[in-house]
Amino acid sequence: MDVGTALLWLSAALLALPGACGDCQAPPRFVFAEPSGPTDASYPVGKMLRYRCRPGYTGDMGKSPYVTCLPNSTWGSDPDFCIGKLCVQPEIPNGDFHFSTNLQFGATISFTCKAGYRLVGKPTAQCILSGNDVEWDSTPYCALIPCQPPPGIVNGQLSAVHTEYTFGVAVTYSCNKGFSLVGNATIHCTMDDNLNGIWSGPAPECKEVRCEIPEVENGKNLNSFATEYTYGEKVSFECAPGHALVGAHTVTCDADSAWKPSLPVCDPRYCGPPLRIPSAELTGAASDSSLAGTKLSYWCQPGFTTESGKSLEVTCLLDRSWSAGSKLCTRQQCAAPTIRNGIVNEDNFLFGATVTFSCNAEYELKGSSSAKCVAAGDGVEWDVALPSCERQRSDVLCGQPPSIRNGVHNGTRGTAFPQGSVVVYSCNDGFTLAGGSTIQCLATAQDRGSWSTPSPECRDGASSIIVGLLPLLLAMLVMNF
């Protein structure tokens, strides 16, 4: 091979290499766009090619339809500069459509119908190309769900007859004279899970229904005293006094000519022996068994009463117990006694209580020193006349009270003390009072005054201890012998 031939061969090989005449290879391919004209195998940097949108797509406003050869030998462009065309929103009377993305070319939507309608056609549609535009490949419609004609009944008829029965239509049945309608009088056209038309329930029946006259022993019919009862009629009962109703209060005449639930029973209820009420006595005789509603009267014993008087009443209840109530016999109270210039030494004036009386200083008790609250007729009163306190004679006087060793008294201010005067003694520190702490001026038989005896003593504390120990020591000596 000569030099010229070799040079020609090398030139051909270099021309065959990619990018030998430019920096970018063939322009890119897009789903949504294509070059406007013929293309070359390579292009120099900076070369711009115009693209046009493919069928079903349209240019996106604001984005350039050009692709450019870049210095790194790649093509650059705005992303998705062509977008899918929009399909028109489909119209589906009595139904609706649903989508998850958009309504652009290539999108898929689904259809549903309102209650009472079912879909006729494909449940989905796709936005497809049609010539230079886009449209839905199919559109279903919603048809009203039909029902078969309603069933007929024996001894009865429909209230109205239609040529078509569609969703929501209702029909009503009635029976011939002498027959009772058993079941729902009205049914309506509805649908099942498969969107087929069905009736809401079976047709009713027309039957001859006659229930016997309901009779309950010791019971009373509260509704009526009809001579016959037909289907659906109700009767209510109540029991005679002293009886409890066991079972249903109201029963209904059923389709099988029987009362449902079964007729109740009026059960007699009895209480046991009469109650024993404290401080009360039963008036009249009573047996060991009393029918509910029986009332017994009691009379409170003398000295006792109730809030409303002397008598009370209990009733035998349906639970077989006596109603004791809150009215029990309580003690009556005597009028509170008062004594002028005296003291009543008790604060309980109820029936049976005893009170004592005392007079103030310089006064003397005249009458009984005590009184008892006793029964009198329907009430209570004191068993004696209340005493009185009369001033003591002033001509009976006592002289100076006697003094005691190691102690003092409070009668040092006077030299003459009237009858009834009281003097109080106390001991000096370290001494203990032996005997009563007071003495009183008393009248003698000669109407003279003298102090009561004996006078108290003030003893040494140690002596008191020794005196107290002497009996113990003597007892120990006797035990040793």
Side-chain angles (χ1 to χ4, degrees), residues 170-222:
V171 295
T172 301
Y173 292 86
S174 61
C175 292
N176 299 335
K177 185 177 181 180
F179 292 86
S180 297
L181 191 140
V182 179
N184 292 324
T186 300
I187 58 176
H188 61 274
C189 178
T190 183
M191 60 184 178
D192 60 15
D193 294 339
N194 296 321
L195 300 181
N196 295 313
I198 58 172
W199 291 101
S200 59
E205 297 180 74
C206 291
K207 300 179 64 176
E208 287 188 278
V209 178
R210 298 289 184 276
C211 286
E212 295 182 355
I213 297 176
E215 294 182 352
V216 175
E217 186 177 1
N218 297 313
K220 178 183 178 182
N221 184 336
L222 297 179

Side-chain angles (χ1 to χ4, degrees), residues 381-402:
E381 63 182 21
W382 296 109
D383 62 344
V384 296
L386 298 181
S388 61
C389 290
E390 298 180 4
R391 184 178 291 276
Q392 297 174 342
R393 290 174 55 184
S394 60
D395 55 348
V396 178
L397 300 175
C398 290
Q400 184 71 27

Side-chain angles (χ1 to χ4, degrees), residues 31 34 80 97 105 122 210 271 328 396 404:
V31 173
E34 60 186 359
D80 300 330
F97 67 92
F105 173 60
K122 289 176 56 180
R210 298 289 184 276
C271 290
L328 300 178
V396 178
I404 61 172

Side-chain angles (χ1 to χ4, degrees), residues 337-345 355-359 364-372 382-390:
T338 57
I339 301 178
R340 187 176 182 185
N341 299 315
I343 299 172
V344 179
N345 297 315
V355 296
T356 58
F357 308 97
S358 60
C359 293
E364 184 178 6
L365 189 70
K366 297 295 183 180
S368 176
S369 62
S370 65
K372 185 176 182 180
W382 296 109
D383 62 344
V384 296
L386 298 181
S388 61
C389 290
E390 298 180 4

Side-chain angles (χ1 to χ4, degrees), residues 370-381:
S370 65
K372 185 176 182 180
C373 184
V374 296
D378 288 339
V380 289
E381 63 182 21

Side-chain angles (χ1 to χ4, degrees), residues 316-353:
C316 176
L317 305 178
L318 287 175
D319 63 0
R320 298 184 173 91
S321 67
W322 291 101
S323 63
S326 61
K327 296 181 178 180
L328 300 178
C329 291
T330 57
R331 291 180 182 270
Q332 291 181 283
Q333 180 170 292
C334 283
T338 57
I339 301 178
R340 187 176 182 185
N341 299 315
I343 299 172
V344 179
N345 297 315
E346 299 290 339
D347 56 5
N348 177 11
F349 309 133
L350 295 175
F351 168 69

